[in-house]
Amino acid sequence: MSHEDHEHGEAGETGSEHGHDHGEHGHHHGHDHDEEEAGVALRVKALERVLVAKGIVDPAALDVFVETYETKVGPRNGAKVVAKAWSDPAYRARLLSDATAAIAELGFTGLQGEHMVVVENTAEVHNMVTCTLCSCYPWPVLGLPPVWYKSAPYRSRSVREPRAVLAEFGVTLPAGKKVRVWDSNADLRYMVLPERPAGTEGLSEAELADLVTRDGMIGTALV
């Protein structure tokens, strides 16, 4: 589902950019969520210590799992999807018409990615992804969701004032460019296909993939 602000010529909005410029945005999300996250982290650590002490869980295996989803399974997979779409017009068409099947062509399937929709940024429209109810997120292509994506302020403000949220992430769009916000849910998850940067015509798919960021595929950063 998308949201649109007709008064400003925008459509549904949400987005966030993590990365190195995320610091300021975190403060706008307030301290309540930070405290909540800290409490959850403490409980998880306590549970982990108990499970490790009983020999049920191998801490090294946990580290590998987290590292895999944050840096390998996730954003790198999505970057390959984007690079393929930039390089292959036929694949791009399949991706936009049936994202789940097109993503599966590259071997990326699984939990939280069973039903996917890819929305394309153009010269006229900028897309952002959010989840207003919880933190639904396409794990197979983006990995684990960043903390800010799950915060209540981001989930609410991304729809109400998407341009303001984007500005906090350092993204300023032309006044005439529409902003469309897509609301992921338990049944459907969205990913953004960023605009291909100018001057990249001679790059290979691997080189193009290196240009793609997680936040660019959420819509809170430009590529």
Side-chain angles (χ1 to χ4, degrees), residues 17-207:
E17 176 203 357
H18 197 45
H20 301 292
D21 298 325
H22 166 61
E24 180 181 353
H25 185 69
H27 296 296
H28 286 282
H29 283 177
H31 298 291
D32 292 342
H33 182 73
D34 293 340
E35 293 172 359
E36 177 185 343
E37 288 288 329
V40 171
L42 289 174
R43 292 195 292 274
V44 170
K45 281 295 183 183
L47 177 60
E48 180 183 344
R49 283 196 295 270
V50 171
L51 294 176
V52 169
K54 291 180 176 294
I56 298 175
V57 170
D58 178 0
L62 282 178
D63 291 341
V64 170
F65 177 83
V66 172
E67 193 272 340
T68 296
Y69 269 86
E70 286 184 344
T71 65
K72 295 179 180 178
V73 172
R76 295 182 186 177
N77 291 350
K80 291 178 182 178
V81 171
V82 171
K84 178 73 171 176
W86 283 349
S87 305
D88 184 340
Y91 179 78
R92 171 181 164 278
R94 294 197 300 276
L95 182 67
L96 295 176
S97 64
D98 187 347
T100 306
I103 291 171
E105 289 180 29
L106 302 187
F108 308 138
T109 61
L111 185 67
Q112 308 298 322
E114 300 92 340
H115 304 288
M116 293 287 304
V117 170
V118 171
V119 291
E120 183 180 27
N121 282 351
T122 67
E124 294 78 29
V125 177
H126 180 86
N127 296 284
M128 300 167 60
V129 179
T130 191
C131 177
T132 56
L133 295 180
C134 50
S135 57
C136 296
Y137 193 76
W139 291 9
V141 286
L142 294 186
L144 297 175
V147 171
W148 53 260
Y149 182 87
K150 299 181 288 183
S151 72
Y154 171 78
R155 290 187 281 117
S156 61
R157 293 184 61 227
S158 58
V159 174
R160 293 200 318 268
E161 47 181 354
R163 287 184 182 270
V165 172
L166 283 173
E168 289 168 11
F169 288 123
V171 177
T172 302
L173 302 173
K177 192 165 193 173
K178 295 181 180 179
V179 178
R180 183 163 294 140
V181 175
W182 300 88
D183 194 354
S184 291
N185 55 55
D187 298 318
L188 196 63
R189 285 159 172 78
Y190 296 93
M191 186 183 92
V192 174
L193 174 60
E195 289 186 81
R196 179 171 178 166
T200 61
E201 292 75 11
L203 298 185
S204 66
E205 280 189 31
E207 291 170 326

